[in-house]
Amino acid sequence: MPAVQPFVVPGELAAARGWIEERERLTFEVLDTFELYGTAGSEAIVWLTRQQARSLPAAARQAQPTPHRWPTGRTEQDLLTVVRYVERRRRPSRHHEVSDQQWSKAAEVLPHGRQLAGTFASSSGPNCFGTVMAAAGVTGANDEWMQVGPFEQWLENVTTPGGADGQPGTVLVWRDATGAPAHAGVTIGAGWFLHKPSQGWMSPRLVLNIQDGKSSARHPGLRLHRRQITQS
């Protein structure tokens, strides 16, 4: 909740107010926080104080991709606002419900699974592919924006086709019509599933039951494939 925040406004409005287009100030974290994806070429991204934002026409305020939240100066209240934002529309991780025995069993193929479960990456970018690889022991993958090529190569090197949802180390890969992977997660066993829903900083590495995990990753046009980890 910075004191100056980005707003999407019509280009002619920005010009009339003397506001400068500053798209280059957008970091991945800011893009994710304010959901500034795919803005039209006729729109400008300008940085406004709360007072300036109040001067926007009502239609411009209502057209923002997501509500803006402003700091109050009260640390406890601001922290609560951020926590509520992170929790909004997200399932809670259920990693504490996985038994010690099951984590120990899963560690044979997912040596870092328990360590990652319920945690957040340090920035936007780290994704589902890196989470699966990191859980299986690939050093540094947890904080990397893992690309499709390295992920596919890892699958080829350490997994085989098949696997079952009820056993640890089954990698669930959702592929599009071209065969490219769009999302992935991995089973912990005993009905549990680990994945990172998005690349946003606010998206934790969640443990869900397998049915909730599969339903949250299901999208039109994607088909589910399974591969079993044979070595970590």
Side-chain angles (χ1 to χ4, degrees), residues 140-176:
N142 57 307
D143 274 325
E144 184 176 341
W145 184 358
M146 189 62 62
Q147 301 300 304
V148 166
F151 177 66
E152 292 276 48
Q153 188 61 59
W154 176 80
L155 286 176
E156 183 66 26
N157 291 343
V158 305
T159 71
T160 57
D165 292 351
Q167 67 187 54
T170 299
V171 181
L172 276 58
V173 184
W174 283 263
R175 296 182 180 274
D176 64 21

PDB file of all heavy atoms in Angstrom, residues 140-176:
ATOM      1  N   GLY A 140      17.202 -23.976  -5.561  1.00  0.00           N
ATOM      2  CA  GLY A 140      16.932 -22.670  -6.127  1.00  0.00           C
ATOM      3  C   GLY A 140      15.667 -22.561  -6.940  1.00  0.00           C
ATOM      4  O   GLY A 140      15.251 -21.452  -7.301  1.00  0.00           O
ATOM      5  N   ALA A 141      15.019 -23.674  -7.253  1.00  0.00           N
ATOM      6  CA  ALA A 141      13.828 -23.633  -8.110  1.00  0.00           C
ATOM      7  C   ALA A 141      12.662 -22.924  -7.432  1.00  0.00           C
ATOM      8  O   ALA A 141      11.778 -22.400  -8.114  1.00  0.00           O
ATOM      9  CB  ALA A 141      13.423 -25.046  -8.510  1.00  0.00           C
ATOM     10  N   ASN A 142      12.633 -22.894  -6.114  1.00  0.00           N
ATOM     11  CA  ASN A 142      11.516 -22.285  -5.396  1.00  0.00           C
ATOM     12  C   ASN A 142      11.432 -20.782  -5.615  1.00  0.00           C
ATOM     13  O   ASN A 142      10.355 -20.188  -5.517  1.00  0.00           O
ATOM     14  CB  ASN A 142      11.609 -22.575  -3.898  1.00  0.00           C
ATOM     15  CG  ASN A 142      12.914 -22.088  -3.300  1.00  0.00           C
ATOM     16  OD1 ASN A 142      13.986 -22.426  -3.801  1.00  0.00           O
ATOM     17  ND2 ASN A 142      12.857 -21.316  -2.231  1.00  0.00           N
ATOM     18  N   ASP A 143      12.551 -20.106  -5.915  1.00  0.00           N
ATOM     19  CA  ASP A 143      12.541 -18.664  -6.109  1.00  0.00           C
ATOM     20  C   ASP A 143      12.809 -18.282  -7.560  1.00  0.00           C
ATOM     21  O   ASP A 143      13.245 -17.169  -7.835  1.00  0.00           O
ATOM     22  CB  ASP A 143      13.564 -17.988  -5.196  1.00  0.00           C
ATOM     23  CG  ASP A 143      12.988 -17.699  -3.812  1.00  0.00           C
ATOM     24  OD1 ASP A 143      11.789 -17.389  -3.728  1.00  0.00           O
ATOM     25  OD2 ASP A 143      13.743 -17.781  -2.829  1.00  0.00           O
ATOM     26  N   GLU A 144      12.546 -19.183  -8.487  1.00  0.00           N
ATOM     27  CA  GLU A 144      12.821 -18.921  -9.899  1.00  0.00           C
ATOM     28  C   GLU A 144      11.531 -18.932 -10.716  1.00  0.00           C
ATOM     29  O   GLU A 144      10.629 -19.729 -10.464  1.00  0.00           O
ATOM     30  CB  GLU A 144      13.781 -19.980 -10.443  1.00  0.00           C
ATOM     31  CG  GLU A 144      14.202 -19.750 -11.882  1.00  0.00           C
ATOM     32  CD  GLU A 144      15.236 -20.757 -12.362  1.00  0.00           C
ATOM     33  OE1 GLU A 144      15.877 -21.397 -11.513  1.00  0.00           O
ATOM     34  OE2 GLU A 144      15.394 -20.891 -13.586  1.00  0.00           O
ATOM     35  N   TRP A 145      11.471 -18.033 -11.689  1.00  0.00           N
ATOM     36  CA  TRP A 145      10.389 -18.074 -12.668  1.00  0.00           C
ATOM     37  C   TRP A 145      10.748 -19.179 -13.653  1.00  0.00           C
ATOM     38  O   TRP A 145      11.396 -18.961 -14.657  1.00  0.00           O
ATOM     39  CB  TRP A 145      10.261 -16.734 -13.374  1.00  0.00           C
ATOM     40  CG  TRP A 145       9.105 -16.645 -14.329  1.00  0.00           C
ATOM     41  CD1 TRP A 145       8.205 -17.629 -14.645  1.00  0.00           C
ATOM     42  CD2 TRP A 145       8.721 -15.502 -15.100  1.00  0.00           C
ATOM     43  NE1 TRP A 145       7.296 -17.185 -15.562  1.00  0.00           N
ATOM     44  CE2 TRP A 145       7.583 -15.874 -15.865  1.00  0.00           C
ATOM     45  CE3 TRP A 145       9.212 -14.218 -15.226  1.00  0.00           C
ATOM     46  CZ2 TRP A 145       6.952 -14.996 -16.733  1.00  0.00           C
ATOM     47  CZ3 TRP A 145       8.582 -13.343 -16.092  1.00  0.00           C
ATOM     48  CH2 TRP A 145       7.474 -13.732 -16.830  1.00  0.00           C
ATOM     49  N   MET A 146      10.332 -20.388 -13.326  1.00  0.00           N
ATOM     50  CA  MET A 146      10.745 -21.567 -14.081  1.00  0.00           C
ATOM     51  C   MET A 146      10.040 -21.594 -15.434  1.00  0.00           C
ATOM     52  O   MET A 146       8.811 -21.526 -15.506  1.00  0.00           O
ATOM     53  CB  MET A 146      10.436 -22.836 -13.289  1.00  0.00           C
ATOM     54  CG  MET A 146      11.036 -24.095 -13.897  1.00  0.00           C
ATOM     55  SD  MET A 146      12.851 -24.045 -13.974  1.00  0.00           S
ATOM     56  CE  MET A 146      13.245 -23.931 -12.211  1.00  0.00           C
ATOM     57  N   GLN A 147      10.822 -21.707 -16.489  1.00  0.00           N
ATOM     58  CA  GLN A 147      10.272 -21.727 -17.832  1.00  0.00           C
ATOM     59  C   GLN A 147       9.865 -23.147 -18.233  1.00  0.00           C
ATOM     60  O   GLN A 147      10.252 -24.137 -17.602  1.00  0.00           O
ATOM     61  CB  GLN A 147      11.283 -21.167 -18.823  1.00  0.00           C
ATOM     62  CG  GLN A 147      11.712 -19.735 -18.515  1.00  0.00           C
ATOM     63  CD  GLN A 147      10.567 -18.759 -18.523  1.00  0.00           C
ATOM     64  OE1 GLN A 147       9.846 -18.655 -19.523  1.00  0.00           O
ATOM     65  NE2 GLN A 147      10.358 -18.037 -17.430  1.00  0.00           N
ATOM     66  N   VAL A 148       9.111 -23.246 -19.309  1.00  0.00           N
ATOM     67  CA  VAL A 148       8.583 -24.533 -19.758  1.00  0.00           C
ATOM     68  C   VAL A 148       9.710 -25.490 -20.138  1.00  0.00           C
ATOM     69  O   VAL A 148       9.677 -26.677 -19.781  1.00  0.00           O
ATOM     70  CB  VAL A 148       7.622 -24.329 -20.947  1.00  0.00           C
ATOM     71  CG1 VAL A 148       7.322 -25.655 -21.640  1.00  0.00           C
ATOM     72  CG2 VAL A 148       6.332 -23.668 -20.478  1.00  0.00           C
ATOM     73  N   GLY A 149      10.726 -24.989 -20.849  1.00  0.00           N
ATOM     74  CA  GLY A 149      11.808 -25.860 -21.312  1.00  0.00           C
ATOM     75  C   GLY A 149      12.509 -26.615 -20.197  1.00  0.00           C
ATOM     76  O   GLY A 149      12.596 -27.854 -20.231  1.00  0.00           O
ATOM     77  N   PRO A 150      13.026 -25.909 -19.176  1.00  0.00           N
ATOM     78  CA  PRO A 150      13.674 -26.615 -18.064  1.00  0.00           C
ATOM     79  C   PRO A 150      12.737 -27.549 -17.313  1.00  0.00           C
ATOM     80  O   PRO A 150      13.155 -28.612 -16.841  1.00  0.00           O
ATOM     81  CB  PRO A 150      14.158 -25.474 -17.170  1.00  0.00           C
ATOM     82  CG  PRO A 150      14.309 -24.311 -18.081  1.00  0.00           C
ATOM     83  CD  PRO A 150      13.214 -24.462 -19.093  1.00  0.00           C
ATOM     84  N   PHE A 151      11.463 -27.157 -17.196  1.00  0.00           N
ATOM     85  CA  PHE A 151      10.502 -28.026 -16.514  1.00  0.00           C
ATOM     86  C   PHE A 151      10.286 -29.316 -17.293  1.00  0.00           C
ATOM     87  O   PHE A 151      10.292 -30.413 -16.721  1.00  0.00           O
ATOM     88  CB  PHE A 151       9.178 -27.285 -16.314  1.00  0.00           C
ATOM     89  CG  PHE A 151       8.104 -28.121 -15.683  1.00  0.00           C
ATOM     90  CD1 PHE A 151       8.220 -28.573 -14.379  1.00  0.00           C
ATOM     91  CD2 PHE A 151       6.950 -28.465 -16.388  1.00  0.00           C
ATOM     92  CE1 PHE A 151       7.224 -29.357 -13.792  1.00  0.00           C
ATOM     93  CE2 PHE A 151       5.952 -29.229 -15.824  1.00  0.00           C
ATOM     94  CZ  PHE A 151       6.082 -29.684 -14.521  1.00  0.00           C
ATOM     95  N   GLU A 152      10.107 -29.194 -18.599  1.00  0.00           N
ATOM     96  CA  GLU A 152       9.915 -30.387 -19.437  1.00  0.00           C
ATOM     97  C   GLU A 152      11.152 -31.285 -19.383  1.00  0.00           C
ATOM     98  O   GLU A 152      11.033 -32.516 -19.337  1.00  0.00           O
ATOM     99  CB  GLU A 152       9.624 -29.981 -20.877  1.00  0.00           C
ATOM    100  CG  GLU A 152       8.285 -29.288 -21.080  1.00  0.00           C
ATOM    101  CD  GLU A 152       7.138 -30.262 -21.236  1.00  0.00           C
ATOM    102  OE1 GLU A 152       7.029 -31.203 -20.432  1.00  0.00           O
ATOM    103  OE2 GLU A 152       6.333 -30.066 -22.166  1.00  0.00           O
ATOM    104  N   GLN A 153      12.343 -30.677 -19.373  1.00  0.00           N
ATOM    105  CA  GLN A 153      13.561 -31.471 -19.311  1.00  0.00           C
ATOM    106  C   GLN A 153      13.663 -32.201 -17.982  1.00  0.00           C
ATOM    107  O   GLN A 153      14.067 -33.369 -17.920  1.00  0.00           O
ATOM    108  CB  GLN A 153      14.789 -30.578 -19.499  1.00  0.00           C
ATOM    109  CG  GLN A 153      16.103 -31.339 -19.631  1.00  0.00           C
ATOM    110  CD  GLN A 153      16.116 -32.254 -20.826  1.00  0.00           C
ATOM    111  OE1 GLN A 153      15.955 -31.797 -21.957  1.00  0.00           O
ATOM    112  NE2 GLN A 153      16.303 -33.552 -20.600  1.00  0.00           N
ATOM    113  N   TRP A 154      13.275 -31.517 -16.912  1.00  0.00           N
ATOM    114  CA  TRP A 154      13.274 -32.155 -15.588  1.00  0.00           C
ATOM    115  C   TRP A 154      12.297 -33.333 -15.571  1.00  0.00           C
ATOM    116  O   TRP A 154      12.628 -34.411 -15.051  1.00  0.00           O
ATOM    117  CB  TRP A 154      12.898 -31.125 -14.528  1.00  0.00           C
ATOM    118  CG  TRP A 154      12.765 -31.694 -13.153  1.00  0.00           C
ATOM    119  CD1 TRP A 154      13.772 -31.986 -12.283  1.00  0.00           C
ATOM    120  CD2 TRP A 154      11.541 -32.073 -12.496  1.00  0.00           C
ATOM    121  NE1 TRP A 154      13.257 -32.521 -11.126  1.00  0.00           N
ATOM    122  CE2 TRP A 154      11.903 -32.575 -11.233  1.00  0.00           C
ATOM    123  CE3 TRP A 154      10.203 -32.018 -12.864  1.00  0.00           C
ATOM    124  CZ2 TRP A 154      10.941 -33.029 -10.327  1.00  0.00           C
ATOM    125  CZ3 TRP A 154       9.250 -32.466 -11.963  1.00  0.00           C
ATOM    126  CH2 TRP A 154       9.621 -32.961 -10.706  1.00  0.00           C
ATOM    127  N   LEU A 155      11.104 -33.143 -16.132  1.00  0.00           N
ATOM    128  CA  LEU A 155      10.144 -34.243 -16.196  1.00  0.00           C
ATOM    129  C   LEU A 155      10.734 -35.437 -16.931  1.00  0.00           C
ATOM    130  O   LEU A 155      10.576 -36.596 -16.515  1.00  0.00           O
ATOM    131  CB  LEU A 155       8.864 -33.793 -16.903  1.00  0.00           C
ATOM    132  CG  LEU A 155       7.900 -32.880 -16.149  1.00  0.00           C
ATOM    133  CD1 LEU A 155       6.750 -32.463 -17.066  1.00  0.00           C
ATOM    134  CD2 LEU A 155       7.365 -33.539 -14.889  1.00  0.00           C
ATOM    135  N   GLU A 156      11.417 -35.170 -18.037  1.00  0.00           N
ATOM    136  CA  GLU A 156      12.010 -36.239 -18.831  1.00  0.00           C
ATOM    137  C   GLU A 156      13.094 -36.971 -18.057  1.00  0.00           C
ATOM    138  O   GLU A 156      13.236 -38.198 -18.159  1.00  0.00           O
ATOM    139  CB  GLU A 156      12.592 -35.649 -20.126  1.00  0.00           C
ATOM    140  CG  GLU A 156      13.186 -36.672 -21.075  1.00  0.00           C
ATOM    141  CD  GLU A 156      12.148 -37.622 -21.646  1.00  0.00           C
ATOM    142  OE1 GLU A 156      10.955 -37.235 -21.731  1.00  0.00           O
ATOM    143  OE2 GLU A 156      12.530 -38.757 -22.014  1.00  0.00           O
ATOM    144  N   ASN A 157      13.849 -36.231 -17.246  1.00  0.00           N
ATOM    145  CA  ASN A 157      15.006 -36.809 -16.554  1.00  0.00           C
ATOM    146  C   ASN A 157      14.641 -37.610 -15.309  1.00  0.00           C
ATOM    147  O   ASN A 157      15.302 -38.615 -15.004  1.00  0.00           O
ATOM    148  CB  ASN A 157      15.986 -35.703 -16.154  1.00  0.00           C
ATOM    149  CG  ASN A 157      16.676 -35.080 -17.339  1.00  0.00           C
ATOM    150  OD1 ASN A 157      16.692 -35.637 -18.437  1.00  0.00           O
ATOM    151  ND2 ASN A 157      17.250 -33.895 -17.143  1.00  0.00           N
ATOM    152  N   VAL A 158      13.628 -37.156 -14.555  1.00  0.00           N
ATOM    153  CA  VAL A 158      13.414 -37.762 -13.228  1.00  0.00           C
ATOM    154  C   VAL A 158      12.018 -38.342 -13.036  1.00  0.00           C
ATOM    155  O   VAL A 158      11.681 -38.778 -11.932  1.00  0.00           O
ATOM    156  CB  VAL A 158      13.701 -36.739 -12.101  1.00  0.00           C
ATOM    157  CG1 VAL A 158      15.093 -36.158 -12.227  1.00  0.00           C
ATOM    158  CG2 VAL A 158      12.658 -35.634 -12.079  1.00  0.00           C
ATOM    159  N   THR A 159      11.181 -38.352 -14.071  1.00  0.00           N
ATOM    160  CA  THR A 159       9.840 -38.934 -13.926  1.00  0.00           C
ATOM    161  C   THR A 159       9.556 -39.910 -15.050  1.00  0.00           C
ATOM    162  O   THR A 159      10.203 -39.891 -16.094  1.00  0.00           O
ATOM    163  CB  THR A 159       8.744 -37.838 -13.929  1.00  0.00           C
ATOM    164  OG1 THR A 159       8.621 -37.290 -15.254  1.00  0.00           O
ATOM    165  CG2 THR A 159       9.046 -36.730 -12.946  1.00  0.00           C
ATOM    166  N   THR A 160       8.556 -40.734 -14.821  1.00  0.00           N
ATOM    167  CA  THR A 160       8.075 -41.655 -15.857  1.00  0.00           C
ATOM    168  C   THR A 160       6.567 -41.486 -15.990  1.00  0.00           C
ATOM    169  O   THR A 160       5.898 -41.048 -15.045  1.00  0.00           O
ATOM    170  CB  THR A 160       8.387 -43.118 -15.494  1.00  0.00           C
ATOM    171  OG1 THR A 160       7.801 -43.413 -14.215  1.00  0.00           O
ATOM    172  CG2 THR A 160       9.889 -43.348 -15.437  1.00  0.00           C
ATOM    173  N   PRO A 161       5.993 -41.809 -17.136  1.00  0.00           N
ATOM    174  CA  PRO A 161       4.536 -41.674 -17.299  1.00  0.00           C
ATOM    175  C   PRO A 161       3.776 -42.511 -16.283  1.00  0.00           C
ATOM    176  O   PRO A 161       4.188 -43.619 -15.941  1.00  0.00           O
ATOM    177  CB  PRO A 161       4.298 -42.177 -18.725  1.00  0.00           C
ATOM    178  CG  PRO A 161       5.599 -41.972 -19.427  1.00  0.00           C
ATOM    179  CD  PRO A 161       6.651 -42.237 -18.384  1.00  0.00           C
ATOM    180  N   GLY A 162       2.673 -41.972 -15.796  1.00  0.00           N
ATOM    181  CA  GLY A 162       1.839 -42.712 -14.864  1.00  0.00           C
ATOM    182  C   GLY A 162       1.849 -42.103 -13.479  1.00  0.00           C
ATOM    183  O   GLY A 162       2.157 -40.926 -13.297  1.00  0.00           O
ATOM    184  N   GLY A 163       1.533 -42.913 -12.493  1.00  0.00           N
ATOM    185  CA  GLY A 163       1.414 -42.436 -11.131  1.00  0.00           C
ATOM    186  C   GLY A 163      -0.024 -42.489 -10.674  1.00  0.00           C
ATOM    187  O   GLY A 163      -0.955 -42.655 -11.476  1.00  0.00           O
ATOM    188  N   ALA A 164      -0.229 -42.345  -9.380  1.00  0.00           N
ATOM    189  CA  ALA A 164      -1.573 -42.395  -8.796  1.00  0.00           C
ATOM    190  C   ALA A 164      -1.742 -41.242  -7.825  1.00  0.00           C
ATOM    191  O   ALA A 164      -0.791 -40.843  -7.141  1.00  0.00           O
ATOM    192  CB  ALA A 164      -1.790 -43.731  -8.079  1.00  0.00           C
ATOM    193  N   ASP A 165      -2.959 -40.714  -7.752  1.00  0.00           N
ATOM    194  CA  ASP A 165      -3.206 -39.565  -6.889  1.00  0.00           C
ATOM    195  C   ASP A 165      -2.978 -39.871  -5.417  1.00  0.00           C
ATOM    196  O   ASP A 165      -2.699 -38.974  -4.629  1.00  0.00           O
ATOM    197  CB  ASP A 165      -4.645 -39.070  -7.082  1.00  0.00           C
ATOM    198  CG  ASP A 165      -4.875 -38.475  -8.463  1.00  0.00           C
ATOM    199  OD1 ASP A 165      -3.890 -38.288  -9.204  1.00  0.00           O
ATOM    200  OD2 ASP A 165      -6.051 -38.193  -8.789  1.00  0.00           O
ATOM    201  N   GLY A 166      -3.110 -41.126  -5.035  1.00  0.00           N
ATOM    202  CA  GLY A 166      -2.996 -41.473  -3.627  1.00  0.00           C
ATOM    203  C   GLY A 166      -1.584 -41.713  -3.134  1.00  0.00           C
ATOM    204  O   GLY A 166      -1.395 -41.955  -1.940  1.00  0.00           O
ATOM    205  N   GLN A 167      -0.587 -41.661  -4.017  1.00  0.00           N
ATOM    206  CA  GLN A 167       0.792 -41.909  -3.593  1.00  0.00           C
ATOM    207  C   GLN A 167       1.617 -40.638  -3.731  1.00  0.00           C
ATOM    208  O   GLN A 167       1.290 -39.749  -4.508  1.00  0.00           O
ATOM    209  CB  GLN A 167       1.410 -43.020  -4.442  1.00  0.00           C
ATOM    210  CG  GLN A 167       1.606 -42.657  -5.910  1.00  0.00           C
ATOM    211  CD  GLN A 167       2.064 -43.847  -6.733  1.00  0.00           C
ATOM    212  OE1 GLN A 167       1.427 -44.898  -6.715  1.00  0.00           O
ATOM    213  NE2 GLN A 167       3.164 -43.678  -7.443  1.00  0.00           N
ATOM    214  N   PRO A 168       2.716 -40.531  -2.966  1.00  0.00           N
ATOM    215  CA  PRO A 168       3.547 -39.338  -3.061  1.00  0.00           C
ATOM    216  C   PRO A 168       4.301 -39.277  -4.394  1.00  0.00           C
ATOM    217  O   PRO A 168       4.660 -40.300  -4.968  1.00  0.00           O
ATOM    218  CB  PRO A 168       4.540 -39.504  -1.908  1.00  0.00           C
ATOM    219  CG  PRO A 168       3.958 -40.539  -1.012  1.00  0.00           C
ATOM    220  CD  PRO A 168       3.165 -41.437  -1.899  1.00  0.00           C
ATOM    221  N   GLY A 169       4.534 -38.050  -4.868  1.00  0.00           N
ATOM    222  CA  GLY A 169       5.409 -37.856  -6.009  1.00  0.00           C
ATOM    223  C   GLY A 169       4.782 -38.008  -7.367  1.00  0.00           C
ATOM    224  O   GLY A 169       5.508 -38.111  -8.369  1.00  0.00           O
ATOM    225  N   THR A 170       3.468 -38.017  -7.470  1.00  0.00           N
ATOM    226  CA  THR A 170       2.829 -38.012  -8.777  1.00  0.00           C
ATOM    227  C   THR A 170       2.677 -36.557  -9.217  1.00  0.00           C
ATOM    228  O   THR A 170       2.004 -35.763  -8.561  1.00  0.00           O
ATOM    229  CB  THR A 170       1.450 -38.676  -8.741  1.00  0.00           C
ATOM    230  OG1 THR A 170       1.599 -40.047  -8.340  1.00  0.00           O
ATOM    231  CG2 THR A 170       0.790 -38.635 -10.104  1.00  0.00           C
ATOM    232  N   VAL A 171       3.318 -36.212 -10.315  1.00  0.00           N
ATOM    233  CA  VAL A 171       3.244 -34.847 -10.835  1.00  0.00           C
ATOM    234  C   VAL A 171       2.030 -34.742 -11.737  1.00  0.00           C
ATOM    235  O   VAL A 171       1.908 -35.471 -12.728  1.00  0.00           O
ATOM    236  CB  VAL A 171       4.522 -34.475 -11.611  1.00  0.00           C
ATOM    237  CG1 VAL A 171       4.434 -33.036 -12.122  1.00  0.00           C
ATOM    238  CG2 VAL A 171       5.757 -34.662 -10.736  1.00  0.00           C
ATOM    239  N   LEU A 172       1.117 -33.854 -11.399  1.00  0.00           N
ATOM    240  CA  LEU A 172      -0.066 -33.588 -12.214  1.00  0.00           C
ATOM    241  C   LEU A 172       0.237 -32.392 -13.109  1.00  0.00           C
ATOM    242  O   LEU A 172       0.568 -31.314 -12.614  1.00  0.00           O
ATOM    243  CB  LEU A 172      -1.283 -33.307 -11.344  1.00  0.00           C
ATOM    244  CG  LEU A 172      -2.069 -34.523 -10.816  1.00  0.00           C
ATOM    245  CD1 LEU A 172      -1.197 -35.456 -10.009  1.00  0.00           C
ATOM    246  CD2 LEU A 172      -3.254 -34.061  -9.981  1.00  0.00           C
ATOM    247  N   VAL A 173       0.174 -32.601 -14.411  1.00  0.00           N
ATOM    248  CA  VAL A 173       0.485 -31.550 -15.382  1.00  0.00           C
ATOM    249  C   VAL A 173      -0.737 -31.306 -16.255  1.00  0.00           C
ATOM    250  O   VAL A 173      -1.230 -32.235 -16.903  1.00  0.00           O
ATOM    251  CB  VAL A 173       1.693 -31.937 -16.262  1.00  0.00           C
ATOM    252  CG1 VAL A 173       2.051 -30.786 -17.204  1.00  0.00           C
ATOM    253  CG2 VAL A 173       2.892 -32.332 -15.406  1.00  0.00           C
ATOM    254  N   TRP A 174      -1.208 -30.079 -16.276  1.00  0.00           N
ATOM    255  CA  TRP A 174      -2.317 -29.693 -17.141  1.00  0.00           C
ATOM    256  C   TRP A 174      -1.727 -29.093 -18.416  1.00  0.00           C
ATOM    257  O   TRP A 174      -0.983 -28.116 -18.371  1.00  0.00           O
ATOM    258  CB  TRP A 174      -3.217 -28.683 -16.443  1.00  0.00           C
ATOM    259  CG  TRP A 174      -4.115 -29.298 -15.420  1.00  0.00           C
ATOM    260  CD1 TRP A 174      -5.413 -29.674 -15.585  1.00  0.00           C
ATOM    261  CD2 TRP A 174      -3.794 -29.618 -14.052  1.00  0.00           C
ATOM    262  NE1 TRP A 174      -5.921 -30.209 -14.421  1.00  0.00           N
ATOM    263  CE2 TRP A 174      -4.953 -30.183 -13.456  1.00  0.00           C
ATOM    264  CE3 TRP A 174      -2.632 -29.479 -13.271  1.00  0.00           C
ATOM    265  CZ2 TRP A 174      -4.983 -30.602 -12.128  1.00  0.00           C
ATOM    266  CZ3 TRP A 174      -2.657 -29.895 -11.957  1.00  0.00           C
ATOM    267  CH2 TRP A 174      -3.826 -30.459 -11.402  1.00  0.00           C
ATOM    268  N   ARG A 175      -2.059 -29.684 -19.572  1.00  0.00           N
ATOM    269  CA  ARG A 175      -1.496 -29.249 -20.853  1.00  0.00           C
ATOM    270  C   ARG A 175      -2.590 -28.673 -21.744  1.00  0.00           C
ATOM    271  O   ARG A 175      -3.735 -29.135 -21.715  1.00  0.00           O
ATOM    272  CB  ARG A 175      -0.797 -30.417 -21.554  1.00  0.00           C
ATOM    273  CG  ARG A 175       0.415 -30.950 -20.776  1.00  0.00           C
ATOM    274  CD  ARG A 175       1.120 -32.074 -21.519  1.00  0.00           C
ATOM    275  NE  ARG A 175       2.264 -32.579 -20.771  1.00  0.00           N
ATOM    276  CZ  ARG A 175       3.491 -32.047 -20.820  1.00  0.00           C
ATOM    277  NH1 ARG A 175       3.720 -31.001 -21.621  1.00  0.00           N
ATOM    278  NH2 ARG A 175       4.473 -32.560 -20.111  1.00  0.00           N
ATOM    279  N   ASP A 176      -2.181 -27.699 -22.576  1.00  0.00           N
ATOM    280  CA  ASP A 176      -3.139 -27.099 -23.494  1.00  0.00           C
ATOM    281  C   ASP A 176      -3.248 -27.924 -24.774  1.00  0.00           C
ATOM    282  O   ASP A 176      -2.654 -29.007 -24.881  1.00  0.00           O
ATOM    283  CB  ASP A 176      -2.770 -25.642 -23.784  1.00  0.00           C
ATOM    284  CG  ASP A 176      -1.426 -25.487 -24.503  1.00  0.00           C
ATOM    285  OD1 ASP A 176      -0.941 -26.457 -25.126  1.00  0.00           O
ATOM    286  OD2 ASP A 176      -0.858 -24.375 -24.452  1.00  0.00           O
TER     287      ASP A 176
END
